[in-house]
Amino acid sequence: MPHLSATARSVPGSGIRRIFELAAALDDVIQLSVGEPEMRVAPHILAAGAQAWASDTTNYTPNSGLMLLRSALVGKLAEHNGVVVDEDQVHITAGGSQALHMAMCLTLDAGDEILIPNPGYATFSMASRLVGAVPVPYLLTADRGFAPNLAELEQLITPRTRVLLINSPSNPLGVVYGPDVLGALLDFAARHDLWVISDEVYEYFTFTGPFTSVASLDTTDRVFGVYSLSKTYGLTGGRIGYLVTPPGVSATFRAAQEATVSCVNTPAQLAAVAAIEGDQSAITDAREHYRSNADAACAALSTRGIEFSRPDGAFYLWINVSYCSGGNVAEWAEAFLLTQRVAVAPGSAFGSAGEGWIRVCLAGQQEPLLTALSRLPER
């Protein structure tokens, strides 16, 4: 029998999805393991997608997406992100995950190395392995406010290092980096002639200060920006994201897109146009809801003396359960699910530095969130 490729077999399974799938087979579970907004999608977005299906607007689009949508995003990027680009630099993808994958396809050869945060979103490691690259974790620790240490980054550079990946606001940590940190990281990338992939999926959800796009500080055309409508507008199943590239990449992107998904489905793209150009009040409502949940959850944990990292952005809470997880938080999370009917993401799913921690989603309703936290063991 033939065997599957070594590249495909090198991609680890998701510890988050394992908990999610175990929970799906159980009754009465409080689901906090995945980043799924529970707020309803705004009616004008649903109507635009429904109208496209009803009118049979279902033909192929250009590889990089509808010009109508790309033009809308050019305006959004200038206004919200402070990033000035043209339509040839904006490419519509099947969610932020495909934008991330395409960024890696465009910047990494087999055997190249990419610096990724640890803890960091599990797909950073998975996607880089899928393109044959080597993920090299850089450590983020609570005592440094989960900020990258430039001296440690310097020690990770090798002749095969090609990409620095930055994630702000961070999944799973909720940390948001300001212009000083991001500028220093860009300078580091320039010194070593690295591409930068900036995951900005949670750009609209910051609680303590403004959001800074990495590309707004870039003067050397080295940043690939990864964006998604999934979290911003609650369109997780709509699978709409986009990749913003440096100039001169469009022909290469189109060829790579043709070889993968060809294009994103047309009704979803038209729903995205309505999302970008329509009423944005749902974003403000969602942000305030997540902030309220974060405040309530932090207060509940503080009362019990359980350590956590207060989020500055995104919609997750990073909680230290090392006092009860016995050195294997993945096993502990499964047992917690089976005995307490609460699904949380084990920190080890986000890298070795996540051992002893869990990630809890704040995007649902407050009452079940607080009930779930009350089931954590006493210290």
Side-chain angles (χ1 to χ4, degrees), residues 104-373:
M104 292 184 182
C105 287
L106 293 167
T107 57
L108 291 162
D109 287 319
D112 284 347
E113 296 175 355
I114 174 172
L115 301 174
I116 64 170
N118 176 21
Y121 181 41
T123 302
F124 297 156
S125 174
M126 297 168 71
S128 53
R129 292 182 187 278
L130 190 58
V131 300
V134 179
V136 177
Y138 61 87
L139 192 61
L140 305 176
T141 59
D143 61 311
R144 297 197 300 244
F146 297 110
N149 182 289
L150 289 175
E152 292 180 6
L153 279 170
E154 292 284 354
Q155 295 300 311
L156 298 176
I157 292 291
T158 76
R160 296 309 302 266
T161 310
R162 297 290 182 270
V163 177
L164 170 66
L165 193 150
I166 303 169
N167 178 208
S168 173
S170 163
N171 172 14
L173 302 172
V175 66
V176 179
Y177 300 135
D180 290 348
V181 171
L182 297 176
L185 291 173
L186 276 173
D187 289 344
F188 165 81
R191 280 197 305 278
H192 296 285
D193 197 23
L194 306 180
W195 293 112
V196 174
I197 297 176
S198 181
D199 181 337
E200 303 183 3
V201 164
Y202 296 91
E203 58 181 321
Y204 281 98
F205 302 128
T206 60
F207 309 135
T208 58
F211 168 73
T212 301
S213 275
V214 176
S216 70
L217 307 174
D218 179 30
T219 59
T220 56
D221 291 334
R222 66 180 65 250
V223 176
F224 287 76
V226 171
Y227 300 91
S228 174
L229 276 68
S230 295
K231 313 299 184 181
T232 305
Y233 298 101
L235 291 169
T236 52
R239 309 315 301 142
I240 285 284
Y242 56 103
L243 179 67
V244 180
T245 69
V249 177
S250 58
T252 306
F253 177 93
R254 290 195 297 269
Q257 183 84 322
E258 180 65 22
T260 51
V261 300
S262 183
C263 63
V264 174
N265 79 83
T266 306
Q269 292 193 54
L270 291 170
V273 173
I276 298 297
E277 294 187 335
D279 179 20
Q280 303 294 301
S281 61
I283 298 176
T284 302
D285 293 343
R287 181 169 55 246
E288 293 312 307
H289 176 66
Y290 304 153
R291 186 201 308 270
S292 175
N293 280 357
D295 289 345
C298 290
L301 293 172
S302 293
T303 298
R304 299 182 59 196
I306 297 175
E307 181 186 359
F308 60 91
S309 176
R310 180 178 292 274
D312 294 323
F315 50 57
Y316 303 106
L317 187 58
W318 190 240
I319 304 172
N320 188 345
V321 294
S322 59
Y323 69 92
C324 62
S325 59
N328 190 329
V329 75
E331 286 188 2
W332 178 89
E334 288 190 27
F336 188 57
L337 170 62
L338 295 174
T339 60
Q340 300 299 321
R341 291 300 193 266
V342 175
V344 299
S348 55
F350 303 95
S352 60
E355 180 56 58
W357 296 74
I358 57 173
R359 188 197 71 176
V360 166
C361 180
L362 300 170
Q365 298 305 306
Q366 192 168 120
E367 183 178 353
L369 168 66
L370 296 178
T371 298
L373 295 179

